[in-house]
Amino acid sequence: EAGVTQSPTHLIKTRGQQATLRCSPISGHTSVYWYQQALGLGLQFLLWYDEGEERNRGNFPPRFSGRQFPNYSSELNVNALELEDSALYLCASTPRWGAGVNEQFFGPGTRLTVL
Amino acid sequence: AQRVTQPEKLLSVFKGAPVELKCNYSYSGSPELFWYVQYSRQRLQLLLRHISRESIKGFTADLNKGETSFHLKKPFAQEEDSAMYYCALSLNSGAGSYQLTFGKGTKLSVIP
């Protein structure tokens, strides 16, 4: 079974630009979670998508946004990039219902560097 | 708001010695607790969860609600246990969201 995939592996942008990160969940999983792992801050919850809708978001400004497509893949967009957005962005997926709903499977991450 | 604390950034033990990775949480309700592990050059993966009460790779963790702790233990450390360990908490924060709140992680180094 293929795991969660993310692209690109690395992304380098400059301040003020926009970044788009992509995530494909495990087949059969409908929920996608995004986390930011910034140096010194640990893993922080960003966004949760399910069935194409944003269901919950963490304590991040509105310039962090995204969407989920009909095939349940997801995109994270970060607008007006700031230096402190440099981090590893992790995506995780779960089924929406059932016994595995509370077990998140993580992708390898996208390393975003803002210069 | 919920919080997870892992007091040790780095823990070094000798091979064969017991290991205990500490985790404390703050939440007034009944959360679900997890331990995730990240081996070198691998993705974050679930090690164990408190509701399953199982032993994975020799590791166990018991939820102590009185002390709000979920420490990870192994009686005899192996070199392959060297990794980054994260304690995480999940709660149903409305609309069925199971987002995780993570501690900052403990790097375990097992010395041969």
Side-chain angles (χ1 to χ4, degrees), chain A residues 33-37 41-48 56-60 90 92 102-104 106, chain B residues 1-6 22-28 30-36 44 46 48 50 63 68 70 85-94 97-105:
Chain A
Y33 294 80
W34 286 94
Y35 294 87
Q36 182 198 65
Q37 188 174 26
L41 294 178
L43 279 150
Q44 297 185 82
F45 166 69
L46 255 171
L47 290 157
W48 171 44
N56 203 7
R57 66 182 295 129
N59 189 24
F60 283 84
L90 294 178
N102 212 358
E103 179 177 346
Q104 299 193 11
F106 283 83
Chain B
Q2 67 276 12
R3 188 170 65 242
V4 177
T5 303
Q6 293 179 251
K22 291 184 168 52
C23 172
N24 288 89
Y25 68 92
S26 63
Y27 178 60
S28 56
S30 294
E32 185 167 358
L33 275 297
F34 303 82
W35 277 98
Y36 278 81
L44 196 61
L46 178 67
L48 52 80
H50 89 268
L63 180 62
T68 58
F70 188 56
Y85 290 80
Y86 294 94
C87 183
L89 176 158
S90 170
L91 49 93
N92 188 336
S93 64
S97 174
Y98 295 94
Q99 71 220 41
L100 294 168
T101 298
F102 285 91
K104 292 197 175 179

Side-chain angles (χ1 to χ4, degrees), chain A residues 33-107:
Chain A
Y33 294 80
W34 286 94
Y35 294 87
Q36 182 198 65
Q37 188 174 26
L39 202 61
L41 294 178
L43 279 150
Q44 297 185 82
F45 166 69
L46 255 171
L47 290 157
W48 171 44
Y49 290 95
D50 183 74
E51 297 288 349
E53 306 241 346
E54 181 183 305
R55 302 289 185 178
N56 203 7
R57 66 182 295 129
N59 189 24
F60 283 84
R63 57 191 187 82
F64 286 85
S65 65
R67 53 181 171 165
Q68 187 177 35
F69 300 97
N71 66 354
Y72 304 115
S73 66
S74 177
E75 222 173 59
L76 173 68
N77 296 296
V78 189
N79 294 318
L81 284 165
E82 300 178 2
L83 296 178
E84 52 264 33
D85 296 334
S86 293
L88 181 67
Y89 289 84
L90 294 178
C91 163
S93 75
T94 73
R96 183 66 178 96
W97 308 106
V101 68
N102 212 358
E103 179 177 346
Q104 299 193 11
F105 291 84
F106 283 83

